[in-house]
Amino acid sequence: MLICTQCGKTYLLNERIWKCQCGGTLAVDFHARFPLKKIVKRAHTMWRYREALPLQHDANIVSFNEGFTPLVEVPLKDTSVLCKQEHLFPTGSFKDRGAAMLISKVKELGIQKVVEDSSGNAGSAIAAYSAKADIDCQIFIPESASSEKVNQIHAYGAKVTKIQGDRGATAEVALQAAKSHYYASHSWNPFFFQGTKTFAYEIYEQLGWNVPDTVILPVGNGTLLLGTYIGFNDLLQAHRINALPKLIGIQAANCAPLYHAYQEEVTESSSIEKRDTVAKGIAIKNPIRAKQILNAVKRTEGWFITVKEEEIRETLLGMCRNGFYIEPTASATIAGVKKYLENVHTEKEVVVTALTGHGLKASSTIADIIDG
Ligand SMILES: *Cc1c(COP(=O)(O)O)cnc(C)c1O
Ligand SMILES: [Zn+2]
């Protein structure tokens, strides 16, 4: 069933809703199972964890064979960490995990048209999977969205509507449209998180059915961090693991509402002044699920780290020379990992992180970085 994270009201899994009547965000309450002997015989996609994904019929799966991204060792500082190559997804970011699950559910519900607001990767992913499922898709984007990302959304055949003003203004217009069409929102829709949770399952399998000590992730709306938290909790509840990894969230110093809320020991997002950052994918001033993100980080005994613009730029160029052409947002994460390794890391600790998006999605921002 669906359960409200605010008032606890429950709804059937097949209701066409994306938020509670009280305005709260929803979570999916679903009993995930992990029949390992069956899983290992299946194709290497996120759908190999079929019994953990809340979809009734296989016929509704909308897929580009995404998932099971390589987990590779990357040398950093005097040690190395394990990086999931999430930039190798069909649309170039981990958002495909969420979009594949969500659009499959949309198909199962018999919905013909979805709306979403995004300034980039989530929009591309929702557009791509909607195209595969033959579902009409309208994406609202802020005027300032980068042309590479807008082109990609267009290429999948979605209707793109540019909105004047900032990211908040775009979200407002999408919320209006969501009154008459299903809202395939990466931040609101709980099924998106049921897709991103497969990130945790894959790590567990790729480590030989073991849980890492620490997972370091970027946080904007928290779709990857909360998905990871849900995924490891599913494994815990199924008695596959007996502890959760510590979750460390990375934010750009220029837009770090959750870092500040954590420091101030409040449970809601702190209102902050947002300054410009090259890490556009995590520049979220008011994350809708702030409370849940703070709770996940606290419950796993993790914390938040911020990174400065110079650190993001320098790390990006370093990663390129290591063979990883990634987005500035993805390099913000790695800049945070470096800080973590300098201050906290112990020798035997298994640290996993992610390269969340491909550099080809952000050529113009990367050009600015090169020009200094
Ligand atoms: C969306 C995105 C993020 C941030 O993810 P959230 O779900 O907003 O926390 C980080 N990196 C890339 C490349 C992204 O597309
Ligand atoms: Zn509610």
Side-chain angles (χ1 to χ4, degrees):
M1 62 191 174
L2 297 168
I3 180 160
C4 175
T5 61
Q6 207 160 291
C7 74
K9 186 172 163 64
T10 60
Y11 301 86
L12 295 176
L13 262 189
N14 280 352
E15 280 192 57
R16 295 185 180 194
I17 52 167
W18 50 270
K19 71 170 176 182
C20 180
Q21 281 160 356
C22 82
T25 54
L26 297 169
V28 177
D29 187 14
F30 174 77
H31 180 64
R33 290 186 303 109
F34 301 92
L36 302 193
K37 284 197 186 102
K38 280 189 190 165
I39 290 171
V40 295
K41 285 189 199 135
R42 294 177 182 152
H44 287 90
T45 77
M46 63 179 244
W47 295 96
R48 69 204 257 109
Y49 311 104
R50 181 65 186 89
E51 293 81 359
L53 297 169
L55 191 74
Q56 258 165 332
H57 305 293
D58 283 0
N60 294 323
I61 293 175
V62 180
S63 172
F64 296 120
N65 294 320
E66 58 286 321
F68 220 81
T69 53
L71 181 69
V72 295
E73 202 170 324
V74 176
L76 276 182
K77 294 282 162 190
D78 300 329
T79 175
S80 65
V81 295
L82 295 164
C83 286
K84 281 281 273 176
Q85 294 188 267
E86 302 286 286
H87 62 308
L88 301 181
F89 268 99
T91 77
S93 88
F94 75 86
K95 299 288 195 312
D96 288 15
R97 293 186 188 277
M101 177 64 229
L102 173 53
I103 298 302
S104 297
K105 191 67 201 175
V106 165
K107 185 176 174 190
E108 186 153 277
L109 294 173
I111 290 164
Q112 303 291 335
K113 174 169 179 175
V114 296
V115 294
E116 152 77 315
D117 55 304
S118 158
S119 51
N121 295 345
S124 287
I126 294 290
Y129 288 82
S130 294
K132 173 95 198 244
D134 214 4
I135 289 165
D136 273 355
C137 175
Q138 183 173 16
I139 309 283
F140 297 94
I141 55 161
E143 249 177 350
S144 60
S146 83
S147 63
E148 296 101 328
K149 299 196 178 190
V150 181
N151 288 344
Q152 192 182 0
I153 297 170
H154 268 300
Y156 295 120
K159 181 173 178 206
V160 178
T161 309
K162 287 195 178 175
I163 305 299
Q164 285 188 353
D166 62 4
R167 186 68 186 77
T170 307
E172 277 305 310
V173 176
L175 281 167
Q176 282 303 319
K179 288 181 180 159
S180 41
H181 298 290
Y182 190 71
Y183 195 20
S185 164
H186 58 293
S187 49
W188 277 99
N189 201 299
F191 287 101
F192 197 90
F193 297 79
Q194 292 292 307
T196 51
K197 73 179 185 180
T198 55
F199 179 78
Y201 304 163
E202 291 176 17
I203 293 171
Y204 167 64
E205 179 169 356
Q206 289 170 319
L207 292 177
W209 311 111
N210 283 303
V211 60
D213 299 300
T214 307
V215 182
I216 307 181
L217 297 172
V219 190
N221 278 306
T223 66
L224 186 56
L225 187 134
L226 282 176
T228 303
Y229 181 68
I230 294 168
F232 282 115
N233 267 298
D234 285 348
L235 291 164
L236 194 66
Q237 266 161 31
H239 305 288
R240 291 288 171 193
I241 59 175
N242 46 35
L244 297 173
K246 181 167 75 185
L247 296 181
I248 305 284
I250 307 298
Q251 297 210 292
N254 279 359
C255 185
L258 296 165
Y259 168 82
H260 288 291
Y262 187 88
Q263 300 305 95
E264 291 154 22
E265 297 186 33
V266 293
T267 59
E268 302 284 344
S269 176
S270 288
S271 77
I272 48 133
E273 187 201 336
K274 174 177 165 180
R275 283 161 293 156
D276 208 25
T277 171
V278 291
K280 294 189 174 42
I282 47 172
I284 309 292
K285 196 171 170 222
N286 292 309
I288 287 153
R289 294 180 185 262
K291 208 170 172 174
Q292 291 158 59
I293 300 168
L294 288 162
N295 174 60
V297 167
K298 258 182 214 149
R299 244 204 80 202
T300 62
E301 292 169 6
W303 58 87
F304 292 88
I305 294 173
T306 58
V307 290
K308 298 198 191 87
E309 295 302 296
E310 311 85 84
E311 294 166 330
I312 301 172
R313 292 164 194 268
E314 187 198 299
T315 300
L316 183 103
L317 300 178
M319 288 301 282
C320 286
R321 282 155 209 166
N322 259 328
F324 303 103
Y325 190 60
I326 53 175
E327 274 193 61
T329 306
S331 85
T333 314
I334 305 305
V337 171
K338 287 202 265 182
K339 282 191 159 166
Y340 180 85
L341 296 176
E342 274 166 22
N343 297 317
V344 200
H345 183 253
T346 56
E347 201 144 312
K348 286 204 198 97
E349 184 181 0
V350 177
V351 178
V352 176
T353 186
L355 306 176
T356 48
H358 206 291
L360 292 171
K361 282 174 158 274
S363 312
S364 48
T365 314
I366 293 177
D368 293 343
I369 290 176
I370 297 163
D371 292 343

